[in-house]
Amino acid sequence: MATSKTSKTTSISMSVFEHAMRQFDEAASRLNVDPGLLEFIKQPRRAMIVTLPIQRDDGEWAVYEGYRVQHSFTRGPAKGGVRFHPQVTLDEVMALSAWMTWKSAVVGIPFGGGKGGIACDPTSMSRRELECLTRRYTAEIMDIIGPEKDVPAPDVNTNPQVMAWMMDTYSMHARQTTTAIVTGKPLEIGGSRGRVEATGRGVMLTAREAAKHLGLDLNGATVAVQGFGNVGSVSAKLLAEQGCKVIAVSDVFGAIKNPAGLDVPALIDYAHDNGRVSGFPGAEEIPRDDVLFVECDILVPAALESVIDGDNAHRVRAKIIAEGANGPITPDGDAVLNERGIFIVPDILCNAGGVTVSYFEWVQDRIGYFWEEEEVNRRLETILVRAFGDVLEMSRLHDVNMRIAAFMLAIQRVLEVTTMRGVYS
Ligand code: NAD
């Protein structure tokens, strides 16, 4: 049963939302703009808390708490995933919604930022229970979502099936099939080719650009990946296809290592069949969190936020960190890694492949014509390579790291549109 929580602390003194706000402030302080306008674009526009009753399979009633936060509509409808996890809090969803605003702006797609979540443990729920919970959540947030208002998508522990239930629930209430209400749907009901792999593809592309920038040959480069879900497994697979050696991988249950390189496609099949990476033949078991501290060229954190902090950042032994997850490094961790000269591809650039192909899906749903996968991948690559170049240019111009540069670029783009539209008051 859900407990009501409104803040989640990443260290003794900082919640995830404070973490996101501190990143904003650090970048904003370098821009010569009105502090009042900055305050306006920094805060979420709207947050909704909903109470979700469902009858469990044993007949008992359970009540869960759900959230939808809309951080910005300035550049277009709010956009962002829905997370099902026991530790989901309003504070976390607020942070994730803000990161969506900056992410969409960095890649230049016409969306604002939004995020949703339900504090629940989907691993202990049946398919029927999950469907009931998803439908009730969708009905409760129905008034504030819509193809022109706010478009949800998958995130941790949600998938194309959950999106199909959301689309159907919305459509039943709207009395018309409305495919563009969510992205990350199955292909048969308006999904886009390439969406399932999009976030991992973006991680691969931006890590490739980072390697190019640093003069690191991807062929034979070693990679460690934390989290082996949608983002982690696809990142590992596509980096391996680029010639990288994936030497360590973890999931919530444990971690494995093989200095000679893991057979990633076989590991994906194994994890699918066994529900975990542990026990994969030929690999050595290591403590779960040690995956972050394996010596490698590229580290891809692709699980949850705040896993690298001020206390453990000195143990990281990677040349590049490609942030597949949202917010995997706290500001204190960031300071240590920057001091040590580790090149970080920030989340709002690195994992923006997902929202970019979500944008393609929304476009295809609205025009009713669907692209081939090569078309999707080609357009994705064009956008991400350009965004990487824009952020790198900003970092050179202002002599700042890639994270600050990405935030500066995003804030500038949101402010530009805010000023153009004018502030209604
Ligand atoms: P997922 O549910 O598909 O996978 C999450 C993975 O992380 C699972 O393998 C799980 O076992 C693992 N995990 C959880 N806790 C862990 C821990 N403590 N140590 C090691 N592994 C752990 O979720 P996903 O969609 O791959 O999302 C992962 C991250 O990427 C999240 O931060 C999410 O917000 C971000 N993200 C996802 C998308 C997307 O399109 N799915 C887009 C952008 C960003």
Side-chain angles (χ1 to χ4, degrees):
M1 203 166 298
T3 49
S4 176
K5 288 178 257 110
T6 51
S7 78
K8 176 169 161 186
T9 306
T10 63
S11 66
I12 289 164
S13 59
M14 191 178 296
S15 76
V16 190
F17 186 60
E18 284 165 346
H19 163 177
M21 294 301 99
R22 194 161 127 189
Q23 293 172 331
F24 177 96
D25 290 340
E26 194 165 356
S29 69
R30 291 173 161 84
L31 296 166
N32 187 20
V33 282
D34 186 293
L37 275 187
L38 282 174
E39 190 58 25
F40 170 56
I41 68 162
K42 171 178 164 179
Q43 299 296 339
R45 292 282 187 91
R46 186 191 282 152
M48 190 174 202
I49 303 178
V50 291
T51 300
L52 310 169
I54 65 154
Q55 196 161 21
R56 302 288 307 249
D57 292 343
D58 63 6
E60 294 281 308
W61 285 93
V63 181
Y64 297 86
E65 194 164 276
Y67 313 96
R68 185 73 194 171
V69 178
Q70 296 167 331
H71 179 265
S72 174
F73 310 102
T74 302
R75 302 181 74 260
K79 182 89 193 80
V82 178
R83 178 175 292 194
F84 288 177
H85 194 275
Q87 262 107 47
V88 163
T89 61
L90 178 60
D91 178 277
E92 179 185 56
V93 178
M94 281 164 61
L96 290 163
S97 74
W99 283 323
M100 289 307 298
T101 300
W102 314 126
K103 196 179 296 184
S104 299
V106 163
V107 287
I109 57 175
F111 284 136
K115 203 82 182 190
I118 303 177
C120 66
D121 178 7
T123 60
S124 70
M125 297 172 75
S126 69
R127 182 182 162 95
R128 188 200 66 83
E129 291 169 345
L130 275 177
E131 178 174 349
C132 291
L133 188 62
T134 303
R135 288 188 182 278
R136 182 67 193 229
Y137 172 71
T138 310
E140 291 289 346
I141 63 168
M142 171 96 191
D143 289 341
I144 63 165
I145 59 172
E148 305 291 340
K149 293 181 182 175
D150 180 0
V151 185
D155 191 73
V156 174
N157 292 326
T158 54
N159 54 27
Q161 177 61 72
V162 173
M163 294 305 112
W165 291 328
M166 289 191 77
M167 189 279 264
D168 183 68
T169 308
Y170 183 92
S171 299
M172 295 307 291
H173 285 269
R175 295 285 186 261
Q176 58 183 13
T177 294
T178 311
T179 53
I181 177 60
V182 287
T183 58
K185 299 177 294 295
L187 276 186
E188 295 78 358
I189 51 169
S192 174
R193 292 190 171 78
R195 175 60 185 91
V196 171
E197 294 206 327
T199 308
R201 182 170 295 279
V203 172
M204 178 276 284
L205 289 168
T206 54
R208 186 193 73 189
E209 293 305 296
K212 217 183 278 176
H213 167 65
L214 298 177
L216 175 79
D217 190 355
L218 271 196
N219 202 14
T222 51
V223 174
V225 182
Q226 182 197 40
F228 207 62
N230 174 277
V231 181
S233 65
V234 175
S235 303
K237 186 181 93 170
L238 297 181
L239 283 165
E241 284 174 11
Q242 294 289 312
C244 294
K245 216 158 55 160
V246 178
I247 56 169
V249 159
S250 71
D251 62 19
V252 70
F253 304 109
I256 55 168
K257 183 177 164 188
N258 183 349
L262 296 156
D263 177 346
V264 180
L267 178 58
I268 289 174
D269 288 345
Y270 177 88
H272 179 260
D273 294 345
N274 296 277
R276 60 190 63 208
V277 296
S278 295
F280 183 62
E284 172 199 344
E285 307 285 324
I286 58 171
R288 186 186 75 181
D289 296 341
D290 282 7
V291 75
L292 296 169
F293 314 121
V294 165
E295 185 168 2
C296 61
D297 293 310
I298 303 171
L299 171 64
V300 182
L304 295 171
E305 56 269 12
S306 311
V307 294
I308 300 174
D309 58 22
D311 294 333
N312 66 17
H314 66 280
R315 295 179 59 200
V316 171
R317 290 184 294 159
K319 296 191 179 89
I320 295 171
I321 302 180
E323 292 186 325
N326 286 305
I329 305 174
T330 67
D332 290 347
D334 227 17
V336 174
L337 297 168
N338 284 316
E339 180 69 29
R340 293 181 52 211
I342 295 174
F343 189 91
I344 300 171
V345 188
D347 47 8
I348 59 172
L349 169 65
C350 188
N351 68 37
V355 74
T356 304
V357 176
S358 275
Y359 164 54
F360 297 160
E361 180 173 332
W362 181 76
V363 168
Q364 293 169 80
D365 286 340
R366 282 154 42 110
I367 59 175
Y369 182 77
F370 292 85
W371 309 341
E372 293 303 323
E373 187 163 353
E374 296 72 40
E375 174 83 359
V376 170
N377 292 345
R378 187 181 55 74
R379 287 176 188 259
L380 173 64
E381 181 162 358
T382 303
I383 287 181
L384 287 186
V385 170
R386 182 171 57 216
F388 187 94
D390 290 348
V391 173
L392 191 62
E393 177 65 21
M394 193 77 168
S395 91
R396 284 192 180 120
L397 205 64
H398 293 270
D399 193 23
V400 292
N401 64 47
M402 291 287 280
R403 189 186 313 283
I404 295 177
F407 268 84
M408 287 175 76
L409 185 67
I411 293 169
Q412 259 183 4
R413 287 178 176 171
V414 173
L415 272 176
E416 198 183 343
V417 176
T418 304
T419 314
M420 213 176 274
R421 287 176 61 157
V423 180
Y424 183 53
S425 58

